[in-house]
Amino acid sequence: MSQLAGKAISYWIASTSHAPNFPSLTNDTLVDVAIVGGGIAGITAGILLKRAGKNVALLEADQIATGVSGHTTAKVTSLHQLVYAQLIKSVGEERARIYANSNQTAIERVAKFVEEEKIDCDFSRTSAYTFAETTETLNDIHSEVEAAVKLGLPASFVTETSLPFAIAGAVKFDNQAQFHARKYLLHLAKLIAGNGSYVFENTRVLNVEEGNPSRVVTATGIVRARDVIIATNAPILDQGLFFAKNYAKRSYIVAARIDRAKAPQGMYIGTSNDYYSIRTTPAPDGGLLLLVGGGGHKVGTVTDTQERYLKLEAYVRSRFGVEEFEYRWSTQDMVSFDQLPYIGKVAPFSNHLYVATGFSLWGMSKGTLAGMLLSDLILGIDNPWLKLYDSTRATPFVTVESLKNNLEVGFHWVGDRLKGLENSSFADVEREEGKLLTINGHKIAAYRDEQGQIHAVSATCTHLGCIVNWNSAEKSWDCPCHGGRFSCDGKVLHGPPVKNLKRYKA
Ligand SMILES: Cc1cc2nc3c(=O)[nH]c(=O)nc-3n(C[C@H](O)[C@H](O)[C@H](O)COP(=O)(O)OP(=O)(O)OC[C@H]3O[C@@H](n4cnc5c(N)ncnc54)[C@H](O)[C@@H]3O)c2cc1C
Ligand code: FES
């Protein structure tokens, strides 16, 4: 097994307090609005609803902002790689303008929270760039600039950047932002708790029963609320079929020290599918960390995920001349097939259950605008963004990409049952290896740790029964169907599943 560089933890989490900040739910509680999920979407909705006078309970399975929002690159921008030229074609100019305005408004919403609440979160204004290294995708860059300018965005075409390598051209958006996402979210979460509102950590929601009021069910108590928001990144409720309207994409980030003189200014992302995402962030000792992300793939489809880190390290070494890496981490987001998030009611017949998902790796702005839109919906305020993001909209099940994805899910459901048939003994599993076994007819996911001890769990995902796949770098069992993830001991790490994998004795 190769030695990966840097500590295996997100810089945002490593540089903030690990002590539990909020209690777990221990008693049944009644509030106006229950919010499931303490990431950027849930916390933004929570603070806005509390400010509007609602009593709120925010329930987080783990700790606040340790999900995707604690592992992001934290660029706050309306430049989403290449999206505007395509959106004008697919939804028309009027709706593309809503996308542009809502994401720009979200940046200003973040900036305003930082200013109003004096949030110490390394917030800074900077430019965002999508760059083409070669002329191959230069036409896409030109089309994006043209579309963005037409929509009133602060866009221009440039050929010079502060990247330490030549590019063919880039879209540049002025006056965008970057921040320390976890510092920002922890501060807002603290403002939610108190005066009849609550934040509960280490409280996994197992089910939500819609009613009057609705019941949010956990192992340690029930929260009753008139309105409930599901902001769990991948929705934990299957109504609305969001698991089939999105797919989960996992991506990798490394952080290395860089001299200020050599550091790029601004935030960058490449074109092509094999893109890299680049920014810097201030380190606590006054130095600078370079963050570079890339290597994305559909969750559960790559076992040798270490190779993704190694490729990323090699890219950073060759392009930026850095040697030492301090941190590495990975995370995933729900990607929607029509590029638009789903924000609104869980299902057309549902009156008080709301959802936000499908941020497609741009949830710092889209999670913020989701919180704004959901808060308006609950407060009965008309919001013009709803017609674009409405979660109950007719969805493109017939796009080639979504058909392919859902067919692949079907193949996994059937075909993956044959995986591991040839291995029938724990002796087949090497040290630091994860393997699927069939023992007495049971599909078992077994991992042998460094000390030689076997960790054995059911290989059948507790969401809809697909067979999980080993992820070597994160030592987790990842589901190729809808992106659910479990630790090597079967604990849920990422939804949609809410139940752990059954454990077996080795
Ligand atoms: C590698 C990578 C880099 C990215 N970089 C950027 C970027 O630079 N800019 C940008 O705009 N976006 C970026 N994104 C996307 C952005 O980070 C996400 O869209 C956003 O953080 C998602 O926020 P969320 O609130 O939906 O999810 P989360 O932050 O994951 O919050 C959901 C929370 O729900 C909790 N939860 C789950 N199930 C339950 C349950 N049953 N009960 C209670 N709680 C539960 C989870 O523990 C989690 O804390 C990136 C994404 C990736 C993958
Ligand atoms: S996440 Fe849906 S079956 Fe595993």
Side-chain angles (χ1 to χ4, degrees), residues 36-42 59-77 80 203-206 231-234 236 249-253 277 330-333 356-357 359-367 493-495 497-498:
V36 188
I40 194 159
L59 298 106
E60 166 54 47
D62 200 305
Q63 287 192 325
I64 290 296
T66 52
V68 186
S69 304
H71 291 82
T72 175
T73 328
K75 301 169 175 174
V76 192
T77 176
H80 297 164
T203 304
R204 185 169 293 280
V205 171
L206 302 173
T232 49
N233 190 250
I236 53 162
K249 180 174 177 183
R250 199 156 186 87
S251 201
Y252 300 80
I253 300 176
S277 171
S330 72
T331 188
Q332 65 196 54
D333 203 10
T357 187
F359 301 143
S360 306
L361 283 82
W362 293 107
M364 294 296 104
S365 61
K366 292 190 215 174
L493 297 176
H494 202 103
V498 291

Side-chain angles (χ1 to χ4, degrees), residues 60 69 71 74 86 174 205-206 293 336 340 360 372 383 409 484 506:
E60 166 54 47
S69 304
H71 291 82
Q86 183 54 40
D174 294 325
V205 171
L206 302 173
S336 105
L340 302 169
S360 306
M372 297 167 78
N383 185 313
V409 168

Side-chain angles (χ1 to χ4, degrees), residues 12 40 74 76 110 121-124 177-181 184 279 364:
W12 315 120
I40 194 159
V76 192
V110 171
C121 63
D122 303 326
F123 179 90
S124 65
Q178 59 179 24
F179 66 169
H180 186 307
Y184 169 80
R279 65 163 281 195
M364 294 296 104

Side-chain angles (χ1 to χ4, degrees), residues 243 413 461-466 468 479-486 495-497:
F243 59 81
W413 204 89
C461 176
T462 55
H463 177 225
L464 294 178
C466 288
V468 294
C479 182
C481 286
H482 315 112
R485 292 182 62 240
F486 304 87

